[in-house]
Amino acid sequence: MTLSGNSPKILVTGGAGFIGSHTVVSLVNAGFEPVIIDDFSNSERSALDGLRAILGRDVTCYPVNCNDAEIMADIFRKEAPIGVIHFAANKAVGESVAKPLKYYRNNLDPLMLLLELMPQFSVQNFVFSSSCTVYGQPAQLPVTEETPRLPAQSPYGNTKAIGEDIIRDAIAAQIPVKALALRYFNPIGAHPSAEIGELPLGVPANLVPFITQTAAGIRPSLTVYGDDYNTPDGTCIRDYIDVGDLADAHVQALKKLIEAPAGASYDVINIGTGRGETVLNVIRTFEEATGVKVNYVIGPRRAGDVEQVYADVTKANRVLEWSARRSLAESLRDAWNWQKKLI
Ligand code: UD1
């Protein structure tokens, strides 16, 4: 951990969110000075308390919307960052179907603003949160970055594909920005200290928060969405990546961008473990890792679910010199410790 006032500053939009807050920790541990921009529309101020407990000090936070051009220009001027990690986005697939314009506006306008402001303030390094959702159900597994993207199944997924295209096209027009889009697989877990973690709003849509809430007795039972898929136990397969490992991948991405020669560059990199796990195996591993039983029932398939997707992480290993370190059991234990703190 560094307390130096001279550490290079990195703007982290959405820095109070699940992945953002863990990345703030990784940035500090790597000697960077994160500057959070978060309007708390989908995160809690308590994340800042958690960060303070982990880091032993405050992190600068601007509680503003990252789509306000004037405020953002002021922040660039005042903070003089050397890079931007852009997490801030809406991410509820179901809501995006009901409110597509909210998703297109909130997920794309700030991205374009950042790409306009960065050259104005000579900020060259940009890391973008993308998602394996851009692959849909790939014809071949594991998915490499060359696997063709498929048409998005939701406005949310489309904003990630369009976001990647916006960056690609801006870079092709030679704006002086070096950008990496990280395609996350399924982020899970929490900081081992249980000071920060995932804070789903309302009923969780994602598997692991639903498991921990069920184990905690907040939900009577988990519904496993389908056991008639063409997989070893019939349930869907995903690549669950620990949020701390994912956070470290952002720091590696940033370091590689900083080392690269100035100029316009863009690339995409999968961030996963390279291992696919079935839903039932996640439940079993949770029970073994925590000693707590999860009530579940098998239900029908969920509309829009792909049968299986997991990453080929060769490129992340090679380009970022990064690989996932934490086991599924460790991630699930951390998620449980975090849940216990929330009860
Ligand atoms: C979901 C989104 C994806 C987004 C990602 C972000 C959908 C269709 N996809 O991915 O676009 O990028 O979150 O994290 O929403 N499951 C159950 N019971 C539950 C919840 C989930 O069986 O109550 C199963 C699902 O069928 C799936 C697996 O658990 O097989 C993981 O589900 P989830 O955590 O929602 O992630 P994804 O669907 O992979």
Side-chain angles (χ1 to χ4, degrees), residues 2 22-23 47 51 54 96 139 153 158 216 223 226 277 288 294 299 313:
T2 175
H22 289 80
T23 301
L51 286 172
I54 293 167
S96 80
Q153 297 290 314
N158 211 19
T223 301
E277 304 279 357
E288 283 166 11
V294 181
V313 287

Side-chain angles (χ1 to χ4, degrees), residues 214 220-224 280 283-284 287 293-298:
T214 306
S221 121
L222 164 79
T223 301
V224 174
L280 289 179
I283 297 171
R284 199 162 30 245
E287 291 181 334
K293 213 180 137 19
V294 181
N295 293 324
Y296 69 88
V297 293
I298 306 291

Side-chain angles (χ1 to χ4, degrees), residues 88-117:
N90 293 122
K91 59 170 189 177
V93 175
E95 186 194 40
S96 80
V97 176
K99 298 179 181 169
L101 298 181
K102 171 179 173 180
Y103 276 68
Y104 287 113
R105 188 173 297 287
N106 289 352
N107 290 5
L108 299 178
D109 282 357
L111 171 63
M112 291 186 280
L113 177 64
L114 287 167
L115 291 172
E116 285 166 350
L117 288 174

Side-chain angles (χ1 to χ4, degrees), residues 17-22 91 185-200 206-212 239-247 273 282 286 326-340 342:
F18 176 43
I19 306 170
S21 59
H22 289 80
K91 59 170 189 177
F185 282 66
N186 287 59
I188 61 162
H191 193 267
S193 66
E195 295 289 352
I196 52 174
E198 200 167 0
L199 282 169
N206 293 117
L207 178 63
V208 170
F210 211 108
I211 287 177
T212 60
D239 183 337
Y240 296 92
I241 170 81
D242 183 83
V243 67
D245 284 336
L246 177 55
T273 65
V282 175
F286 177 88
R326 313 204 69 232
S327 68
L328 179 62
E330 284 174 295
S331 305
L332 293 170
R333 204 177 303 125
D334 290 341
W336 176 234
N337 288 334
W338 165 246
Q339 179 67 58
K340 282 193 288 187
L342 291 178

Side-chain angles (χ1 to χ4, degrees), residues 91 93-94 131-133 154 156-157 184-187 204-210 222-226 229 235-238 240 279 302-307 309:
K91 59 170 189 177
V93 175
S131 168
C132 70
T133 193
S154 70
Y156 158 76
Y184 316 152
F185 282 66
N186 287 59
N206 293 117
L207 178 63
V208 170
F210 211 108
L222 164 79
T223 301
V224 174
Y225 296 136
Y229 286 100
T235 63
C236 291
I237 290 177
R238 297 287 184 275
Y240 296 92
V279 176
R302 177 171 70 176
D305 263 344
V306 301
E307 178 176 279
V309 61

Side-chain angles (χ1 to χ4, degrees), residues 7-306:
S7 305
K9 289 184 178 176
I10 308 297
L11 297 190
V12 186
T13 73
F18 176 43
I19 306 170
S21 59
H22 289 80
T23 301
V24 165
V25 174
S26 293
L27 284 167
V28 172
N29 288 339
F32 292 100
E33 182 58 41
V35 175
I36 297 172
I37 299 168
D38 200 308
D39 66 359
F40 300 103
S41 56
N42 198 15
S43 58
E44 298 283 340
R45 283 171 196 271
S46 58
L48 302 181
D49 301 331
L51 286 172
R52 189 181 308 113
I54 293 167
L55 300 172
R57 66 168 175 104
D58 283 320
V59 173
T60 304
C61 175
Y62 291 89
V64 298
N65 186 311
C66 61
N67 197 31
D68 187 314
E70 257 177 56
I71 291 177
M72 290 300 287
D74 281 348
I75 294 172
F76 271 87
R77 200 173 294 114
K78 177 153 182 276
E79 300 291 350
I82 65 155
V84 177
I85 305 181
H86 182 42
F87 292 107
N90 293 122
K91 59 170 189 177
V93 175
E95 186 194 40
S96 80
V97 176
K99 298 179 181 169
L101 298 181
K102 171 179 173 180
Y103 276 68
Y104 287 113
R105 188 173 297 287
N106 289 352
N107 290 5
L108 299 178
D109 282 357
L111 171 63
M112 291 186 280
L113 177 64
L114 287 167
L115 291 172
E116 285 166 350
L117 288 174
M118 288 179 62
Q120 284 176 36
F121 291 91
S122 305
V123 182
Q124 295 181 43
N125 306 298
F126 187 63
V127 182
F128 176 64
S129 295
S130 191
S131 168
C132 70
T133 193
V134 300
Y135 296 118
Q137 177 59 70
Q140 276 191 323
L141 289 164
V143 273
T144 73
E145 292 78 359
E146 277 69 50
T147 301
R149 296 184 328 191
L150 292 177
Q153 297 290 314
S154 70
Y156 158 76
N158 211 19
T159 65
K160 291 301 173 188
I162 297 171
E164 288 188 355
D165 292 348
I166 288 172
I167 302 169
R168 181 203 59 201
D169 293 349
I171 301 290
Q174 297 299 315
I175 65 162
V177 169
K178 299 176 273 182
L180 280 173
L182 304 185
R183 290 178 176 161
Y184 316 152
F185 282 66
N186 287 59
I188 61 162
H191 193 267
S193 66
E195 295 289 352
I196 52 174
E198 200 167 0
L199 282 169
L201 285 178
V203 181
N206 293 117
L207 178 63
V208 170
F210 211 108
I211 287 177
T212 60
Q213 289 196 6
T214 306
I218 299 168
R219 314 265 160 220
S221 121
L222 164 79
T223 301
V224 174
Y225 296 136
D227 69 348
D228 57 351
Y229 286 100
N230 184 23
T231 63
D233 63 20
T235 63
C236 291
I237 290 177
R238 297 287 184 275
D239 183 337
Y240 296 92
I241 170 81
D242 183 83
V243 67
D245 284 336
L246 177 55
D248 289 344
H250 289 78
V251 172
Q252 282 304 106
L254 195 62
K255 284 184 180 169
K256 297 297 171 188
L257 289 171
I258 293 166
E259 282 166 22
S265 69
Y266 172 60
D267 209 350
V268 298
I269 303 184
N270 288 341
I271 305 293
T273 65
R275 289 186 309 273
E277 304 279 357
T278 65
V279 176
L280 289 179
N281 196 42
V282 175
I283 297 171
R284 199 162 30 245
T285 306
F286 177 88
E287 291 181 334
E288 283 166 11
T290 64
V292 182
K293 213 180 137 19
V294 181
N295 293 324
Y296 69 88
V297 293
I298 306 291
R301 293 181 175 196
R302 177 171 70 176
D305 263 344
V306 301

